[in-house]
Amino acid sequence: MSGPPKTRGMLKYVWNNFMKSFKVGQRQKVGDVMGQDPYGNTYYELPAQPQLGKRRPTRWYNTMDTNKKDIVARDTWAGFDAELPSEWESWLRHRRANPPSEKEVMQSLALAEMKKMNAAKLEEARHAEMVAAGLDPSPPGLQDHEKTPYPKYAEYESMPGEMQNQDKDKWAKHKNPYSKQQGEEK
């Protein structure tokens, strides 16, 4: 025989999970410090707690200037204006499981600095070559897609009431009808 129906066990299971759903507030509030970068940002993590509905760890950082908490996964614009090393940003966005080491971050920053210096040297060499060849080393002019889609002529107004060759101070001849100085002149 199979025994009595298991409805009582099912109801207990549903009731227990219903009660566990109210334990979300019992989650750890203060994160573990995972590291710091050369810019002074401090990175934190709350471990995942599947029993409370958190399957992924929550990661954020505090900036040195504002000491404000930015959670990259929750806020779309978080971190857009901060200086974050790419290794730490990938850790914040869960692209890597473990936080980067300080050696990794410093190597990456040194490589970026070396690339900037090499680019500046190449630009100086290009400038010297162009001057030696008698060419104009200034940046190229506007291309067709960057130009205004309509022509501008000096004899026509670009803004109603303003001519292009007119002097720039359009308020120089303006007199306020309500000013006391104008009333005295009459």
Side-chain angles (χ1 to χ4, degrees):
M1 301 247 173
S2 64
K6 297 189 177 188
T7 57
R8 188 168 188 107
M10 180 58 109
L11 289 174
K12 184 179 178 185
Y13 175 78
V14 170
W15 177 256
N16 286 340
N17 283 333
F18 176 71
M19 293 308 288
K20 284 181 187 176
S21 70
F22 292 112
K23 293 182 181 179
V24 174
Q26 295 178 356
R27 188 163 189 231
Q28 179 183 348
K29 299 280 188 212
V30 179
D32 303 325
V33 176
M34 301 306 286
Q36 192 168 4
D37 66 14
Y39 301 117
N41 301 323
T42 309
Y43 299 89
Y44 299 91
E45 180 181 54
L46 282 176
Q49 293 177 323
Q51 67 275 17
L52 298 179
K54 288 292 189 180
R55 295 184 179 162
R56 291 172 70 178
T58 303
R59 297 172 176 171
W60 72 91
Y61 68 99
N62 288 348
T63 60
M64 186 176 72
D65 300 332
T66 61
N67 204 22
K68 180 184 169 201
K69 181 177 180 180
D70 281 330
I71 301 177
V72 175
R74 193 178 308 159
D75 184 8
T76 307
W77 299 104
F80 80 96
D81 59 345
E83 289 188 88
L84 295 176
S86 59
E87 293 80 14
W88 277 111
E89 185 176 1
S90 63
W91 178 79
L92 284 170
R93 296 183 186 277
H94 301 279
R95 292 185 189 130
R96 61 185 293 162
N98 299 323
S101 66
E102 188 175 341
K103 181 181 176 186
E104 247 182 312
V105 173
M106 295 308 287
Q107 281 179 341
S108 175
L109 292 175
L111 181 65
E113 192 64 30
M114 184 183 70
K115 286 180 179 180
K116 289 177 188 175
M117 290 178 4
N118 288 343
K121 287 177 187 176
L122 286 173
E123 182 61 28
E124 287 175 12
R126 185 195 68 83
H127 187 274
E129 283 178 15
M130 291 183 80
V131 168
L135 299 172
D136 182 21
S138 63
L142 295 176
Q143 296 183 3
D144 289 337
H145 69 280
E146 297 172 317
K147 295 180 181 173
T148 55
Y150 52 88
K152 289 187 178 182
Y153 299 105
E155 62 267 13
Y156 297 115
E157 298 175 343
S158 59
M159 293 286 292
E162 292 183 13
M163 296 294 286
Q164 283 197 351
N165 56 3
Q166 196 177 12
D167 61 327
K168 299 292 180 191
D169 193 12
K170 65 181 179 181
W171 298 104
K173 298 178 186 174
H174 176 72
K175 295 184 180 177
N176 186 350
Y178 301 105
S179 71
K180 293 180 181 178
Q181 293 174 353
Q182 186 179 2
E184 295 169 3
E185 292 176 5
K186 289 183 182 177

